[in-house]
Amino acid sequence: MNATIIEAINDSLTTEMERDDRVMVFGEDVAENGGVFRATEGLKERFGADRVVDTPLSEIAIVGGAVGLALYGLRPVAEIQFSGFLPPAFDQLVTHASRIRWRTRGEWSAPLVVRTPYGAGVRALEHHSESLEGAYGHVPGLKVVVPSTPHDTKGLLNAAMHDPDPVVFLEPKHIYRSVREEIPDDDYEVPIGEAAVRRVGEDVTVISWGAMMEPTLEAVAELGVDADVIDLRTISPLDRTSIVDSVKKTGRAVVVHEAARSGGWGGEIIATINDEALMYLEAPIERITGFDVPVPLLSMEDYYLPHPPRIAAGIERVLEY
Amino acid sequence: MNATIIEAINDSLTTEMERDDRVMVFGEDVAENGGVFRATEGLKERFGADRVVDTPLSEIAIVGGAVGLALYGLRPVAEIQFSGFLPPAFDQLVTHASRIRWRTRGEWSAPLVVRTPYGAGVRALEHHSESLEGAYGHVPGLKVVVPSTPHDTKGLLNAAMHDPDPVVFLEPKHIYRSVREEIPDDDYEVPIGEAAVRRVGEDVTVISWGAMMEPTLEAVAELGVDADVIDLRTISPLDRTSIVDSVKKTGRAVVVHEAARSGGWGGEIIATINDEALMYLEAPIERITGFDVPVPLLSMEDYYLPHPPRIAAGIERVLEY
Amino acid sequence: MTVVTANTGTTRAESFTVRASAETNRAALCLYARRLVSWYEIAMSNNLSRQALDLDAPWISQDTLSVEPHQIVAPDGSYDPDDVPDLTEEAFLDLYRWMLFEKRYAERMVKLQRRGELGTFGSSRGHEASIVGSGYPLQDSDWLLGMGRETMAMLQQGVSLRDMILFWRGVDDAQQFLAQENCMIGISVGGYLPLVTGIGWGMKRMDADAVVTAHFGDGATSTGASHEAINFAGVLDIPAIFYCQNNQWAISTPFEKQTNANSIAQRAIGYGVDGVRVDGNDVLAVHAAMTEARELASQGNPVIVEGLTYRRGGHSTNDDPSRYRDDEERETWIDRDPIERYERFLQSEGLWDRVDRETLLEGIDEEFDAAHEAADAYGPRDVEEIFVHLYDEMPPALEAQMASFGEFLETYPEMDEHVDRRPKG
Amino acid sequence: MTVVTANTGTTRAESFTVRASAETNRAALCLYARRLVSWYEIAMSNNLSRQALDLDAPWISQDTLSVEPHQIVAPDGSYDPDDVPDLTEEAFLDLYRWMLFEKRYAERMVKLQRRGELGTFGSSRGHEASIVGSGYPLQDSDWLLGMGRETMAMLQQGVSLRDMILFWRGVDDAQQFLAQENCMIGISVGGYLPLVTGIGWGMKRMDADAVVTAHFGDGATSTGASHEAINFAGVLDIPAIFYCQNNQWAISTPFEKQTNANSIAQRAIGYGVDGVRVDGNDVLAVHAAMTEARELASQGNPVIVEGLTYRRGGHSTNDDPSRYRDDEERETWIDRDPIERYERFLQSEGLWDRVDRETLLEGIDEEFDAAHEAADAYGPRDVEEIFVHLYDEMPPALEAQMASFGEFLETYPEMDEHVDRRPKG
Ligand SMILES: Cc1ncc(C[n+]2csc(CCOP(=O)(O)OP(=O)(O)O)c2C)c(N)n1
Ligand SMILES: Cc1ncc(C[n+]2csc(CCOP(=O)(O)OP(=O)(O)O)c2C)c(N)n1
Ligand SMILES: [Mg+2]
Ligand SMILES: [Mg+2]
């Protein structure tokens, strides 16, 4: 079918719930209302109120409940309405989801997915625009996935639901409906932990993910530079090989992310390049990121976001070094 | 007085409570019991039950309550018994403490300190050994401080209590009682945001903080290398100048931290060096860190910790590159 | 009694009776929740007697406690004169004007949003009595942290209408002006209740003649933060009022899916604080309860006040309630309109003659127009605004980010194309 | 009634009475908490009638609800034969042996810890009836997530004593063996209650003939996680038992500083679940209540059971309770020893003749010795253990870390000096 990202999510959930009776979808407003972004529309009608469940406004219990369901053999897919409301459940991720397999030496495991829309640009209220993938990526045991296309969204979400371990699935809500492409009907997987090369080039490596792929590709196109553009797709575990191979080829790199700069995932990427390709570098790696501030409210958020001109300027700096 | 780190904390709290009636100390077991590590011993007797308060077992309300007290003009110093129990309150840090000044455009502010013992090596139970400074450092608006000596501990804690903004104060509990030195009686400050150079050298820059300073200095001493050893003392805001200046001089760097490697603060340090001193580097920067796993239980935790031989091996690799 | 001897595996369940009365009660609650009958009737019949159960231990359950909602004026406008609070005529009329204001404000704001002038907006239609009655008894020194659906209560504290418009436009400065009046809007549901506890703790410590109020919804009561905050306040005798506007919906989640308890007020029992449920569409009842609440709180007894009301519109302008609830239900609540009920009261009291509804509305519209103009006139803000006010003293790295972004904007005017909203009110 | 007309600033407080009865009740509670009188007496006198207050709204408070603790055998050993659960003689004797076992286990473990053989240890001295009575009615298919102070309940589920020793030695494998018996120990207080809700939700979804039990302390009830978990379970009709061992202390924090409520059981009211408080030193009362609790839960009624007991020792071997509480208080509780009380019961029932205490103790000691030996014999583990089992499939970067650490250990034997504990049981 031809689908947007939000439709791809819905299709992935439908496909998987059809295939695997253990899959359960729950969260705030996901059943009767079909989700505030309509990601879960129609699921309750199709799969019943036992498998698609509206919960109380309880992020801790949503995530912790998902862990418990997974322990009992179910396949929970929990929705957190906006990623800005995942921090209340941070402890459930750190203390249980990420390490219950480890704690029980493989006896138990927590195959669950926490889906949540992240990022700015939709003119919402405070706490509706955050990008905290860096903090989640730092937690050993958690997989952190951020798709950027409809095809990858379905394939990665399918993979997340098949995955034997917990996956935090960050959805680029800013582009939920802005891209559309053909996606297969079946439960195909886009493997977690593998980056995609969106564009092949020789002069510079540009690395990004999620909602930032669009302005990144736009900036590259406008500049007309010969760039390798890597879409990480998975933050953790990080596909170091793709990054390092590309930088060895180009000798220059730019990382683009929406999260605040300091302590963001850009640091890990630079450290990876340092580890394995330092001597290939012909210029310092540029980080084009959100600033070290909370995402501004809607009247100012565009100044915060890495828009194409800012990305282009960064690429130019690296090329001209 | 001659003090250990734990005594320095107690002395700092005493000095500050004496000086400033607004300072309040609270948390689980801090009043009657004087804290499970005795950091707050004697404070309740001295300053009364209004200012030194045992709270319910409620990390969210401890941190959120501190924000509220600060808004009302008090100077709260909250204790979280172990840093592994700070994640339940992560949302209070992200959503309120770090940004209430920003939210109210400077009208309100949250001058508070959250003290918490972090790190492994004390043979405790699960969740008693974590190092999550990387996640806290990534939150814009939070200051994150990690002292490594009694003198700095008191000076930094004094500074944190004087600071107009929220400070997460991570105490290296492993060395609470293992070092002892002379500390002034007054409310001197060690400035937040300034690293200390523990040893001056030419051949390599070794950067660490908190409980890892001891094995780091030990490794450097054993190797007999001519190293600049930097004790960050503050994770955020990061003293980039000290790092960059040193690396420009030595051309080689090693970062040592206890937290898991991926997404840890080492990445930010490497990115900083990349930004401003890349072309001075003669070898990839080494990260000697905890592995990408939860801190093992007590019977195995020593394998996880960066002990001197592992640090020394890293320094050698950088020197021999 | 049933005896299960686990280790031998034998279960002798012969004498165990299915808990029929609990089921009956649950059914009544659902009925109630589904509002097929009036909540007044159900609320009054809460005290269903539990059928004899074959349980030996003294279990407590929903049947154990009956929470009687406080009501002064019935939906049909009738009341017992003895119950009427001893307010001045001016105060009675004032309450009316505030309710009309809240209603008109919500209508005008929805229109502004439809015209693209606001980001989103959460209407308070239906909550007028709950908002006005809960805000009116507060004092100047009191603090009020809410969630966005208590505007007139904030205006009573001194907040200006312009700033509410700025708030919904996503102008950062709005919360500055709210803060100047000891008010804040917390967008993360429930998460600000610990702050409320902390502020109240500060009041206690400073021996202030003040209380702090949290305004929040039924949804917020399911958060861990709300639990810790209220329990903590109970232990420390904090002068805090936890005012829950139970409008029976959290976006699409009805109250009976929010909790299996019959009321929020009864949570008080579990925290060792005092609680009361009031008819949130009866402004006098809300006012009376909040007045008592404020007295209790100032004496160091934190309280939960639950105003039972109904969200007549969508959750916000983004929401389409027809996806998840019946028109029928909404109709029922139109009949229980808080303003019309109060009008009947004013008529009975002979005060209605003193009300000129049209003139009042004109005055309100003028106030709104002026606020709207003031919001439009709110000066352009500098891009630096996104960097400042995070720290008292900006750290060097952030200074550098600000400086280089400033340079960037000068060098790359094409950035302008990507800035959708101009940084002004 | 007090009328505060906020906007004019006038407060007419003339008629407001200080809440004398609430104060009285609070004082009683503190007394109770300070245990200067027997909690039995206080618990029975909870139903203090509230003095006439000058409050008009129907406030509910601690006076509104009286929670009667369930007791079958009084501290002096007396009981009403009609109340005695219908257990086999074997079961009656079994309960005794389990209690003796819990006591002996705790004593032996404290000794092991003092000898440096354990990291730390949390003794259950005083909780024997609460632990044994709450674990005994559970079935094999049930799950039990606890916090470390419910060992015999876990042993009843099939956990081995060796593994409890391994657990307190910080041997990672211990929780593997617990998990095999559907048990887990959650060290972060309260945080595992949402997992319990999720497990119960799974049971409901799978229509399993099983319930899940959370064992936790009074301290845990103040966490947001516990609130969300129990409320959630109430809404979704989850077969979960929330068993609170209220030992009246959370390290140094006494129950009256944990919450201002009179009991934990009464939280049930706020969640729409059923709750009961039992005398946690009366094994028959705990057993009876848990048996009923299990029936209720299997029918989709989650419950809170509060066993009121007392932590006779320190919080753990690291703790020195003399810093924060009186010996006098402890003495009182020695008189209420759960085992001695049950011995008197067995005597009255004529079952004591069948008990050979010394032989029982010998048997227990032998079991302990065997477990101790097995723990000592527990094979050395490979360093790889710290890397494996985090993921089903190890990510490449972690593989690389493991490989290079392996090489490092071979190259740098001096690392051995820094390894304090050998990686074996
Ligand atoms: C912690 C958190 N989770 C989810 C949301 C998204 N959200 C915004 S309002 C709302 C419902 C709130 O319901 P209620 O508390 O009853 O207040 P009401 O809107 O009915 O006045 C939700 C789920 C949020 N803002 N914060
Ligand atoms: C979230 C969290 N906060 C703090 C601690 C430290 N701590 C361990 S046990 C304990 C007290 C627990 O008291 P309670 O729940 O009553 O159980 P008890 O030990 O009395 O059986 C505390 C504060 C912890 N383990 N987890
Ligand atoms: Mg609501
Ligand atoms: Mg306890």
Side-chain angles (χ1 to χ4, degrees):
Chain A
M1 71 186 264
N2 194 272
T4 60
I5 287 180
I6 196 85
E7 288 160 1
I9 293 164
N10 189 278
D11 188 44
S12 167
L13 295 171
T14 308
T15 310
E16 226 16 58
M17 292 192 84
E18 196 70 66
R19 204 185 64 83
D20 185 347
D21 185 55
R22 298 170 306 169
V23 175
M24 289 170 69
V25 167
F26 53 91
E28 294 155 20
D29 308 297
V30 299
E32 300 299 333
N33 199 27
V36 296
F37 288 104
R38 310 289 174 250
T40 54
E41 178 145 31
L43 297 181
K44 191 215 130 204
E45 289 68 24
R46 186 150 170 182
F47 301 105
D50 281 355
R51 295 182 63 197
V52 185
V53 185
D54 281 325
T55 67
L57 210 159
S58 298
E59 279 78 11
I60 303 175
I62 291 171
V63 175
V67 176
L69 278 168
L71 294 181
Y72 206 70
L74 282 303
R75 285 291 190 155
V77 182
E79 174 177 308
I80 297 293
Q81 205 163 83
F82 288 86
S83 75
F85 311 129
L86 189 48
F90 187 56
D91 184 53
Q92 292 297 316
L93 294 175
V94 172
T95 300
H96 295 295
S98 68
R99 49 156 87 184
I100 203 141
R101 175 192 289 283
W102 174 91
R103 176 182 304 142
T104 63
R105 309 275 82 206
E107 191 65 34
W108 287 354
S109 61
L112 61 88
V113 183
V114 176
R115 294 180 37 243
T116 187
Y118 86 96
V122 302
R123 316 293 175 223
L125 295 163
E126 199 186 346
H127 312 299
H128 286 68
S129 308
E130 341 298 301
S131 300
L132 260 184
E133 70 272 17
Y136 306 123
H138 182 42
V139 179
L142 285 188
K143 296 184 179 175
V144 183
V145 171
V146 196
S148 79
T149 69
H151 180 274
D152 279 2
T153 298
K154 180 172 175 186
L156 284 164
L157 186 52
N158 288 343
M161 288 187 279
H162 303 158
D163 202 282
D165 285 307
V167 178
V168 175
F169 195 85
L170 298 167
E171 300 169 359
K173 66 172 174 294
H174 186 35
I175 52 169
Y176 260 163
R177 295 186 163 79
S178 62
V179 244
R180 195 170 260 296
E181 70 183 344
E182 214 42 54
I183 60 171
D185 285 333
D186 67 347
D187 66 328
Y188 70 99
E189 289 194 9
V190 169
I192 291 174
E194 279 185 23
V197 180
R198 294 295 175 202
R199 208 182 145 130
V200 180
E202 298 293 324
D203 294 344
V204 58
T205 302
V206 187
I207 302 159
S208 190
W209 55 89
M212 285 296 105
M213 285 312 298
E214 208 186 32
T216 296
L217 286 164
E218 201 178 313
V220 167
E222 272 174 22
L223 279 178
V225 292
D226 191 27
D228 249 16
V229 179
I230 296 180
D231 178 352
L232 279 188
R233 305 197 292 199
T234 299
I235 294 304
S236 177
L238 183 61
D239 181 352
R240 294 171 203 266
T241 314
S242 294
I243 296 169
V244 168
D245 287 354
S246 173
V247 174
K248 282 186 176 165
K249 178 176 68 174
T250 63
R252 298 172 196 268
V254 175
V255 183
V256 183
H257 67 62
E258 194 174 325
R261 181 185 182 89
S262 292
W265 206 245
E268 186 56 36
I269 293 166
I270 293 175
T272 298
I273 296 171
N274 161 84
D275 286 348
E276 299 178 47
L278 180 79
M279 292 307 158
Y280 294 82
L281 282 182
E282 285 164 48
I285 302 157
E286 276 282 336
R287 284 190 283 179
I288 310 298
T289 68
F291 304 112
D292 285 344
V293 299
V295 185
L297 300 193
L298 64 95
S299 74
M300 302 285 266
E301 69 180 334
D302 276 322
Y303 288 110
Y304 172 89
L305 281 172
H307 278 297
R310 194 140 72 83
I311 300 170
I315 297 174
E316 278 177 332
R317 273 196 301 279
V318 165
L319 286 172
E320 285 161 13
Y321 187 85
Chain B
M1 71 186 265
N2 196 271
T4 60
I5 287 180
I6 197 85
E7 287 160 2
I9 293 164
N10 189 277
D11 189 43
S12 166
L13 295 171
T14 308
T15 310
E16 226 14 59
M17 293 192 83
E18 196 70 68
R19 204 185 63 84
D20 184 348
D21 184 54
R22 297 170 307 168
V23 175
M24 290 169 69
V25 166
F26 53 92
E28 295 154 20
D29 307 297
V30 300
E32 300 300 332
N33 198 28
V36 295
F37 288 103
R38 310 290 173 250
T40 54
E41 177 144 33
L43 297 181
K44 191 216 128 200
E45 290 67 25
R46 185 147 170 187
F47 301 105
D50 281 353
R51 294 182 64 197
V52 185
V53 185
D54 281 326
T55 68
L57 209 158
S58 298
E59 280 78 11
I60 303 174
I62 291 170
V63 175
V67 176
L69 278 169
L71 294 182
Y72 206 71
L74 283 303
R75 285 290 191 156
V77 182
E79 174 174 308
I80 297 293
Q81 205 163 81
F82 288 86
S83 75
F85 310 128
L86 189 49
F90 187 56
D91 183 54
Q92 293 296 318
L93 294 176
V94 172
T95 300
H96 295 295
S98 66
R99 49 156 84 184
I100 203 143
R101 176 193 289 281
W102 174 90
R103 177 181 303 141
T104 62
R105 311 273 82 207
E107 191 65 35
W108 287 353
S109 62
L112 61 89
V113 182
V114 176
R115 292 180 39 242
T116 186
Y118 86 97
V122 302
R123 316 293 174 222
L125 295 164
E126 198 186 346
H127 312 298
H128 286 69
S129 307
E130 340 299 300
S131 300
L132 260 184
E133 69 273 16
Y136 306 124
H138 182 41
V139 179
L142 285 187
K143 296 184 179 177
V144 182
V145 170
V146 196
S148 79
T149 69
H151 180 274
D152 279 2
T153 299
K154 180 171 177 188
L156 284 163
L157 186 52
N158 288 343
M161 288 187 281
H162 302 157
D163 201 282
D165 286 306
V167 178
V168 175
F169 195 85
L170 297 167
E171 299 169 359
K173 66 171 174 296
H174 186 36
I175 53 170
Y176 260 162
R177 296 189 161 78
S178 63
V179 246
R180 196 170 259 295
E181 70 183 344
E182 214 42 55
I183 60 173
D185 285 332
D186 66 349
D187 65 331
Y188 69 100
E189 289 194 12
V190 169
I192 290 174
E194 279 186 24
V197 180
R198 294 295 174 205
R199 207 182 146 128
V200 181
E202 299 292 323
D203 295 344
V204 58
T205 302
V206 187
I207 302 158
S208 191
W209 54 89
M212 285 297 105
M213 284 311 299
E214 208 183 33
T216 297
L217 286 164
E218 202 177 312
V220 167
E222 274 175 22
L223 279 177
V225 293
D226 191 26
D228 249 17
V229 179
I230 296 180
D231 179 352
L232 279 189
R233 305 198 290 200
T234 300
I235 294 304
S236 176
L238 183 61
D239 181 351
R240 294 170 203 268
T241 315
S242 294
I243 296 169
V244 169
D245 287 353
S246 172
V247 175
K248 281 185 178 167
K249 176 176 70 174
T250 62
R252 298 171 196 269
V254 175
V255 183
V256 183
H257 66 63
E258 192 174 327
R261 180 184 181 89
S262 292
W265 206 245
E268 187 56 36
I269 293 166
I270 293 176
T272 299
I273 296 170
N274 161 83
D275 287 347
E276 300 179 46
L278 180 79
M279 293 306 157
Y280 296 82
L281 281 183
E282 286 165 48
I285 300 155
E286 277 281 337
R287 285 190 282 180
I288 310 298
T289 68
F291 304 113
D292 284 344
V293 299
V295 185
L297 300 193
L298 66 95
S299 72
M300 302 284 266
E301 68 180 336
D302 275 323
Y303 287 109
Y304 172 90
L305 282 172
H307 278 296
R310 193 139 74 83
I311 300 170
I315 296 173
E316 278 177 334
R317 272 196 302 279
V318 165
L319 286 171
E320 286 161 13
Y321 187 83
Chain C
M1 218 208 60
T2 307
V3 175
V4 183
T5 45
N7 284 36
T8 67
T10 356
T11 306
R12 283 185 281 142
E14 67 277 34
S15 64
F16 199 92
T17 321
V18 174
R19 309 184 63 236
S21 86
E23 292 306 316
T24 318
N25 195 32
R26 174 80 55 85
L29 179 61
C30 287
L31 256 189
Y32 154 60
R34 295 254 161 261
R35 293 135 208 119
L36 300 178
V37 298
S38 153
W39 75 264
Y40 301 103
E41 289 160 36
I42 294 294
M44 297 304 167
S45 70
N46 253 350
N47 215 357
L48 293 173
S49 72
R50 182 188 266 246
Q51 281 185 21
L53 284 184
D54 213 0
L55 293 171
D56 287 334
W59 291 90
I60 51 175
S61 71
Q62 294 302 290
D63 301 344
T64 313
L65 184 80
S66 124
V67 175
E68 293 163 45
H70 189 44
Q71 188 181 77
I72 293 176
V73 181
D76 64 4
S78 65
Y79 58 95
D80 177 343
D82 287 350
D83 293 345
V84 174
D86 188 12
L87 296 179
T88 61
E89 289 200 358
E90 273 54 49
F92 281 126
L93 295 173
D94 216 14
L95 289 174
Y96 182 69
R97 183 181 187 276
W98 279 117
M99 285 205 285
L100 218 53
F101 201 166
E102 180 69 47
K103 176 168 179 257
R104 192 69 186 143
Y105 158 78
E107 287 164 358
R108 298 278 314 253
M109 290 293 273
V110 169
K111 275 195 204 134
L112 283 194
Q113 201 280 339
R114 298 269 178 255
R115 288 213 305 259
E117 288 197 32
L118 309 176
T120 175
F121 175 69
S123 163
S124 55
R125 194 61 194 93
H127 299 61
E128 295 82 0
S130 163
I131 296 168
V132 170
S134 64
Y136 203 77
L138 301 181
Q139 306 282 352
D140 258 9
S141 53
D142 296 346
W143 289 44
L144 194 165
L145 275 64
M147 47 73 78
R149 225 188 286 281
E150 57 282 292
T151 303
M152 293 305 124
M154 292 204 172
L155 261 55
Q156 286 159 357
Q157 290 305 100
V159 167
S160 89
L161 197 51
R162 179 199 69 171
D163 300 334
M164 292 307 301
I165 299 175
L166 291 179
F167 176 82
W168 291 103
R169 284 187 175 177
V171 173
D172 311 57
D173 302 20
Q175 292 255 35
Q176 176 179 15
F177 305 126
L178 265 63
Q180 284 165 358
E181 309 300 335
N182 302 336
C183 290
M184 187 191 93
I185 295 178
I187 292 298
S188 189
V189 169
Y192 56 95
L193 270 64
L195 275 59
V196 167
T197 296
I199 292 166
W201 193 0
M203 291 169 170
K204 179 186 165 195
R205 172 80 214 289
M206 308 294 275
D207 221 353
D209 184 14
V211 307
V212 57
T213 299
H215 272 63
F216 54 98
D218 39 315
T221 63
S222 297
T223 64
S226 74
H227 169 80
E228 295 198 5
I230 305 176
N231 185 59
F232 205 98
V235 171
L236 294 173
D237 303 328
I238 284 171
I241 301 174
F242 296 95
Y243 183 72
C244 178
Q245 293 203 72
N246 183 352
N247 62 10
Q248 309 188 56
W249 290 92
I251 309 187
S252 73
T253 308
F255 181 57
E256 80 266 21
K257 287 191 184 172
Q258 200 61 249
T259 182
N260 201 38
N262 290 340
S263 78
I264 294 304
Q266 68 202 58
R267 290 261 164 90
I269 299 265
Y271 299 133
V273 305
D274 293 347
V276 72
R277 174 178 254 202
V278 293
D279 181 345
N281 283 11
D282 176 356
V283 69
L284 295 182
V286 180
H287 181 282
M290 277 298 279
T291 304
E292 294 184 356
R294 199 182 174 287
E295 281 299 326
L296 286 167
S298 358
Q299 291 170 28
N301 301 291
V303 294
I304 297 176
V305 182
E306 176 190 17
L308 189 59
T309 182
Y310 186 74
R311 192 195 79 209
R312 291 254 290 265
H315 169 74
S316 73
T317 46
N318 296 332
D319 182 44
D320 171 10
S322 74
R323 294 177 63 89
Y324 53 78
R325 69 183 192 187
D326 293 344
D327 266 1
E328 199 190 325
E329 176 184 292
R330 217 178 128 259
E331 304 290 315
T332 326
W333 285 89
I334 293 177
D335 295 346
R336 293 179 200 137
D337 189 83
I339 300 183
E340 287 168 20
R341 188 191 311 187
Y342 193 59
E343 286 173 357
R344 288 190 281 271
F345 166 80
L346 292 178
Q347 281 155 9
S348 309
E349 290 282 307
L351 287 167
W352 187 240
D353 298 345
R354 291 190 51 193
V355 176
D356 178 350
R357 198 167 177 279
E358 286 318 302
T359 313
L360 279 182
L361 275 177
E362 269 166 38
I364 287 166
D365 272 336
E366 273 166 31
E367 264 194 61
F368 192 92
D369 291 338
H372 186 195
E373 268 170 48
D376 285 347
Y378 193 72
R381 281 154 308 128
D382 200 275
V383 177
E384 291 193 353
E385 283 293 307
I386 72 172
F387 298 96
V388 295
H389 295 313
L390 183 60
Y391 301 90
D392 180 55
E393 198 181 321
M394 199 181 288
L398 190 54
E399 289 243 31
Q401 290 177 18
M402 182 171 78
S404 78
F405 188 54
E407 275 169 43
F408 165 81
L409 286 177
E410 277 171 30
T411 332
Y412 292 79
E414 59 265 44
M415 177 68 186
D416 257 17
E417 289 161 33
H418 296 274
V419 180
D420 191 56
R421 302 273 173 145
R422 304 305 311 147
K424 66 189 282 290
Chain D
M1 222 209 58
T2 308
V3 176
V4 182
T5 45
N7 285 36
T8 68
T10 356
T11 307
R12 284 184 281 140
E14 67 277 35
S15 64
F16 199 93
T17 322
V18 174
R19 308 185 63 237
S21 87
E23 291 307 316
T24 318
N25 195 31
R26 174 80 53 88
L29 178 63
C30 286
L31 257 187
Y32 155 59
R34 295 254 161 262
R35 291 138 209 115
L36 299 179
V37 298
S38 151
W39 74 265
Y40 301 103
E41 288 160 39
I42 294 294
M44 297 305 166
S45 71
N46 254 348
N47 213 358
L48 293 174
S49 71
R50 181 189 266 247
Q51 280 184 24
L53 284 183
D54 213 358
L55 292 171
D56 287 333
W59 290 91
I60 52 176
S61 72
Q62 294 302 290
D63 300 345
T64 313
L65 183 80
S66 123
V67 175
E68 294 163 44
H70 189 45
Q71 189 181 77
I72 292 175
V73 181
D76 63 4
S78 65
Y79 58 95
D80 178 342
D82 287 348
D83 294 343
V84 174
D86 187 13
L87 296 179
T88 60
E89 288 201 357
E90 273 54 48
F92 281 126
L93 295 173
D94 216 15
L95 289 173
Y96 182 70
R97 183 181 187 275
W98 279 117
M99 285 204 287
L100 218 53
F101 201 165
E102 181 69 48
K103 176 169 182 254
R104 193 68 186 144
Y105 159 78
E107 287 164 358
R108 297 281 308 257
M109 290 293 273
V110 169
K111 274 194 203 134
L112 283 194
Q113 201 280 340
R114 300 266 179 258
R115 287 213 306 260
E117 288 196 34
L118 309 176
T120 175
F121 175 69
S123 163
S124 55
R125 191 66 193 94
H127 300 60
E128 295 83 0
S130 163
I131 296 169
V132 170
S134 63
Y136 202 77
L138 300 181
Q139 305 283 350
D140 259 9
S141 53
D142 295 347
W143 288 45
L144 194 165
L145 275 64
M147 49 71 78
R149 224 187 286 281
E150 57 282 295
T151 302
M152 294 305 126
M154 291 203 173
L155 261 55
Q156 287 160 357
Q157 291 304 101
V159 168
S160 89
L161 198 52
R162 178 199 70 171
D163 300 334
M164 292 308 301
I165 299 174
L166 292 180
F167 176 85
W168 292 104
R169 283 186 176 179
V171 174
D172 311 57
D173 303 19
Q175 292 256 37
Q176 176 179 16
F177 304 128
L178 265 63
Q180 284 165 358
E181 309 300 335
N182 301 336
C183 290
M184 188 191 94
I185 295 178
I187 292 300
S188 188
V189 168
Y192 56 94
L193 269 64
L195 275 60
V196 167
T197 296
I199 292 166
W201 193 1
M203 291 169 168
K204 180 188 164 197
R205 171 80 214 289
M206 308 295 274
D207 221 355
D209 185 15
V211 307
V212 56
T213 299
H215 273 63
F216 54 97
D218 41 316
T221 65
S222 298
T223 63
S226 74
H227 169 78
E228 295 199 4
I230 306 175
N231 185 58
F232 206 96
V235 171
L236 294 172
D237 302 329
I238 284 171
I241 301 174
F242 296 95
Y243 184 72
C244 177
Q245 294 203 68
N246 182 351
N247 62 12
Q248 307 186 59
W249 290 93
I251 308 186
S252 72
T253 309
F255 182 57
E256 81 268 21
K257 286 191 185 174
Q258 201 59 251
T259 182
N260 200 39
N262 290 341
S263 77
I264 294 304
Q266 68 203 57
R267 291 260 164 91
I269 299 266
Y271 299 132
V273 305
D274 293 347
V276 71
R277 174 176 255 202
V278 294
D279 180 345
N281 283 12
D282 175 357
V283 69
L284 295 182
V286 179
H287 181 281
M290 276 299 278
T291 304
E292 295 184 354
R294 199 183 174 286
E295 282 298 325
L296 286 167
S298 356
Q299 292 170 28
N301 302 291
V303 294
I304 298 175
V305 182
E306 176 189 16
L308 191 58
T309 182
Y310 187 74
R311 193 195 78 209
R312 291 254 290 263
H315 169 73
S316 73
T317 44
N318 295 332
D319 182 45
D320 171 10
S322 74
R323 294 177 62 90
Y324 53 78
R325 70 183 193 187
D326 291 345
D327 267 1
E328 197 189 326
E329 174 184 293
R330 215 179 129 261
E331 304 289 315
T332 326
W333 285 89
I334 293 175
D335 295 345
R336 295 179 199 136
D337 189 82
I339 299 181
E340 286 168 22
R341 188 191 311 186
Y342 193 57
E343 286 173 357
R344 287 191 281 273
F345 166 80
L346 291 177
Q347 281 155 9
S348 309
E349 289 283 308
L351 287 167
W352 187 240
D353 298 344
R354 291 190 49 193
V355 176
D356 179 349
R357 200 168 176 281
E358 285 318 302
T359 313
L360 278 183
L361 274 177
E362 270 166 37
I364 288 166
D365 271 336
E366 274 165 31
E367 264 193 62
F368 191 93
D369 291 339
H372 186 195
E373 269 169 47
D376 285 347
Y378 193 72
R381 280 155 308 129
D382 200 277
V383 177
E384 292 192 352
E385 283 294 307
I386 71 172
F387 298 95
V388 295
H389 295 312
L390 183 59
Y391 301 89
D392 179 56
E393 198 181 321
M394 199 182 286
L398 191 54
E399 288 244 30
Q401 289 176 19
M402 182 171 79
S404 79
F405 188 54
E407 274 169 42
F408 165 81
L409 286 177
E410 277 172 28
T411 332
Y412 292 80
E414 59 266 44
M415 177 66 187
D416 258 17
E417 288 163 34
H418 296 275
V419 180
D420 191 56
R421 300 276 173 141
R422 302 307 311 149
K424 66 187 284 288

